[in-house]
Amino acid sequence: MSDFRRSVGYQIYPKSFCDSKGDGRGDLKGVTSKLDYIKELGVDYIWLTPFFVSPQNDNGYDVEDYYNIDPRYGTMEDFEELAAEAGKRGIRLMLDMVFNHTSSRHEWFKKAMEGDEKYKNYYIFRKGKAPGVPPTNWESKFGGGVWEYVEKFDEYYLHLFDVTQPDLNWDNEEVRKELQKVIRFWMGKGVKGFRFDVVNLISKSVYEDDYEGDGRRFYTDGPNIHRYLRELNAATFGTDTEIITVGEMSSTSMENCYQYGNGDGKELSMVFSFHHLKVDFMGNEKWVLVPADFQKLKNILFSWQKGMQEHDAWNAVFWCNHDQPRVVSRFGNEGRYWKASAKMLAATIHLLRGMPYIYQGEELGMTNAGFTDISQYRDVESLNHFRILQDKGLTEADAYRILQVHSRDNSRTPMQWTAGKNGGFTNGEPWIEVNKNCDRINAEAELADPDSISIFTGN
Ligand code: GLC
């Protein structure tokens, strides 16, 4: 059994980590070049967000080919080198498996759109309720509806996320077998960890209009979810006791997480839940400005700690990832108490029961992007909501204020390595702007600071 219950994870968003080629985007070789730094942080596992072939409409969470590396990130040799070099340093890699949906450019979806019944059944096609009326009124996580009309079939396909991310039909056993093959392929490459993207959304059941919410109650923690996870486990990673897994559980319930992350190891090793990161939302609505409710934050952390412990289930504990704003800006202080609050927040997650995950730059106290113009934003979700907010009647200035607080691009600005050009991230033109405060907040400065936020193992 892996001793993951004593391990620390470090999340890398390769596109924004380190660019070895000078094309403005980070890549796998860039990650390899920084392994000594990561080792110094005392990291056991690196979670790499997707680097598979993808049109990058959702920065790799739209996978076109699960078996190959997107040339933008490098080659299979680069991956093997990274895995070998990490292994030499006692660090293991966790890959990000996006199995709720594929890219619309995946060959399965292309065949489906050609009318091939076998592949249409890999996805979720449904008739509308009436001419021009989609099967349900659910809202996409990225704004707009979840159904895309396909005229030649007079049917709609489901996409909980972007229109270019059609949902897979997990009720089809062939789909489940295909996805098992993907895991076995990467296990063959020596991979010892997997993160499963929005995996509690894979079991859909009822297709009904939702008059109380955005539809999520009909597809979250669905009826066959535990059966599908157990099956995946038994057929793939469950056969290797060294492999660890974490599921991203969107809007989940604690009761379900007792099973997902149970110590019996039949489903996953641990879970990411997000309730503690909605304390500055209005219910589930994130595109609003609401002060963080710290009492609620404390209560949520406490009840999850207690509940999961009582049921021998394991949390992944975290503040930051590539979908969340920077925590020091969010729950801490960017000004006078910048360092103290970054330390306090770091101490909190390291002292909770669960596996801590640090997101690149969090160890430096990196802050929100500070963007002031829509041309600086890249994320499909932010771009959509900038428009939706104004369609709802908000002024442009208000829409900006909300984006500045909640946009996922806040965490996607490049890693700040030095005070030099582009924060030492690239010699080229960065795909997204580097935060201006890289002159002050950067890894070089942090390593030289005897009172640094992080404790480096060499110190
Ligand atoms: C997860 C990912 C996010 C992505 C979404 C759709 O929430 O973390 O980045 O956009 O799933 O795959």
Side-chain angles (χ1 to χ4, degrees):
M1 171 102 167
S2 146
D3 62 353
F4 71 88
R5 290 194 170 196
R6 299 173 54 192
S7 299
V8 174
Y10 185 81
Q11 185 196 348
I12 293 184
Y13 197 67
K15 196 172 185 176
S16 298
F17 192 63
C18 178
D19 173 16
S20 73
K21 299 196 296 289
D23 63 1
R25 282 185 301 252
D27 46 52
L28 295 180
K29 271 194 179 305
V31 177
T32 308
S33 73
K34 297 294 184 185
L35 284 171
D36 286 335
Y37 167 81
I38 297 166
K39 173 81 192 150
E40 279 281 288
L41 286 170
V43 168
D44 304 292
Y45 287 88
I46 295 175
W47 153 26
L48 287 161
T49 60
F51 46 74
F52 312 106
V53 177
S54 157
Q56 303 285 322
N57 288 341
D58 187 21
N59 282 339
Y61 283 92
D62 43 337
V63 180
E64 182 176 335
D65 175 357
Y66 292 103
Y67 296 99
N68 283 296
I69 313 254
D70 195 298
R72 283 172 270 220
Y73 292 116
T75 61
M76 191 58 88
E77 289 68 47
D78 294 344
F79 174 76
E80 284 162 358
E81 187 193 10
L82 167 59
E85 288 299 320
K88 280 186 204 159
R89 291 163 178 82
I91 299 172
R92 293 177 157 185
L93 303 183
M94 299 183 86
L95 300 200
D96 204 327
M97 296 289 132
V98 188
F99 283 174
N100 175 67
H101 44 266
T102 67
S103 160
S104 52
R105 295 236 301 246
H106 195 287
E107 63 163 348
W108 302 334
F109 194 71
K110 285 191 195 153
K111 288 185 181 157
M113 291 298 271
E114 283 160 15
D116 184 330
E117 282 304 321
K118 172 180 154 89
Y119 289 101
K120 271 186 83 184
N121 200 28
Y122 272 40
Y123 295 90
I124 301 174
F125 283 87
R126 288 280 183 284
K127 288 278 176 215
K129 275 194 309 228
V133 186
T136 68
N137 65 354
W138 305 349
E139 282 165 39
S140 156
K141 307 262 183 196
F142 291 165
V146 296
W147 297 100
E148 179 71 3
Y149 184 60
V150 184
E151 194 173 350
K152 66 178 169 184
F153 304 143
D154 187 26
E155 283 175 336
Y156 294 77
Y157 71 81
L158 179 74
H159 61 92
L160 295 183
F161 294 88
D162 189 52
V163 62
T164 62
Q165 293 169 297
D167 280 52
L168 282 165
N169 175 16
W170 273 72
D171 295 332
N172 179 350
E173 193 182 352
E174 281 179 81
V175 169
R176 307 203 299 275
K177 291 248 149 58
E178 294 269 17
L179 300 175
Q180 291 168 11
K181 253 171 58 190
V182 175
I183 300 286
R184 280 195 290 269
F185 173 83
W186 290 104
M187 282 170 66
K189 298 259 170 220
V191 169
K192 294 292 182 195
F194 295 99
R195 177 239 187 211
F196 291 98
D197 189 58
V198 289
V199 74
N200 65 326
L201 309 185
I202 58 176
S203 171
K204 283 93 179 171
S205 60
V206 193
Y207 292 93
E208 277 177 25
D209 279 344
D210 191 352
Y211 297 109
E212 290 167 28
D214 59 8
R216 71 182 70 194
R217 65 198 172 103
F218 293 120
Y219 56 75
T220 303
D221 300 323
N224 293 314
I225 180 69
H226 296 289
R227 178 158 81 78
Y228 292 160
L229 285 177
R230 281 167 188 245
E231 181 188 77
L232 184 67
N233 176 319
T236 62
F237 55 82
T239 58
D240 180 343
T241 51
E242 283 189 11
I243 292 183
I244 72 165
T245 51
V246 57
E248 185 197 25
M249 302 306 178
S250 168
S251 300
T252 190
S253 73
M254 214 191 298
E255 290 65 32
N256 276 292
C257 288
Y258 298 157
Q259 291 182 62
Y260 294 142
N262 199 275
D264 68 8
K266 295 227 164 63
E267 295 187 18
L268 302 172
S269 314
M270 68 195 112
V271 292
F272 283 116
S273 64
F274 294 88
H275 301 282
H276 66 298
L277 297 178
K278 293 187 178 174
V279 296
D280 52 1
F281 287 15
M282 201 182 286
N284 280 322
E285 181 52 54
K286 108 171 183 183
W287 300 100
V288 287
L289 287 182
V290 172
D293 182 340
F294 290 112
Q295 187 56 48
K296 196 165 160 196
L297 176 63
K298 220 166 122 178
N299 295 349
I300 293 171
L301 288 179
F302 187 73
S303 61
W304 275 77
Q305 286 282 298
K306 209 161 156 272
M308 292 291 272
Q309 174 161 8
E310 281 165 6
H311 292 81
D312 186 29
W314 205 243
N315 283 305
V317 280
F318 73 107
W319 294 124
C320 295
N321 67 27
H322 63 292
D323 297 327
Q324 301 292 332
R326 291 283 179 182
V327 71
V328 73
S329 307
R330 187 177 193 179
F331 298 149
N333 179 288
E334 282 185 12
R336 180 159 173 211
Y337 298 108
W338 165 72
K339 189 187 274 186
S341 60
K343 285 186 181 190
M344 177 276 289
L345 290 160
T348 308
I349 56 167
H350 282 281
L351 295 174
L352 292 176
R353 177 179 177 276
M355 179 162 152
Y357 283 77
I358 310 306
Y359 176 66
Q360 63 184 50
E362 186 177 351
E363 74 276 19
L364 312 177
M366 273 178 64
T367 63
N368 278 351
F371 291 161
T372 50
D373 192 87
I374 196 63
S375 63
Q376 295 171 291
Y377 287 92
R378 297 286 176 271
D379 181 23
V380 54
E381 187 198 43
S382 300
L383 300 176
N384 285 349
H385 281 278
F386 185 62
R387 186 179 33 76
I388 292 170
L389 287 169
Q390 291 178 78
D391 289 348
K392 282 185 182 158
L394 269 78
T395 63
E396 190 181 89
D398 283 340
Y400 273 127
R401 271 192 278 278
I402 294 177
L403 245 57
Q404 277 155 6
V405 170
H406 289 298
S407 169
R408 305 196 298 181
D409 282 336
N410 280 315
S411 57
R412 297 178 180 184
T413 61
M415 177 75 177
Q416 295 165 204
W417 294 105
T418 67
K421 187 178 168 227
N422 296 325
F425 161 69
T426 180
N427 293 326
E429 194 55 41
W431 72 278
I432 187 168
E433 274 175 42
V434 179
N435 194 312
K436 292 192 179 53
N437 62 21
C438 68
D439 57 347
R440 183 169 54 86
I441 301 176
N442 62 68
E444 209 170 55
E446 178 77 356
L447 280 160
D449 179 0
D451 184 32
S452 56
I453 295 165
S454 312
I455 300 166
F456 295 93
T457 53
N459 289 357

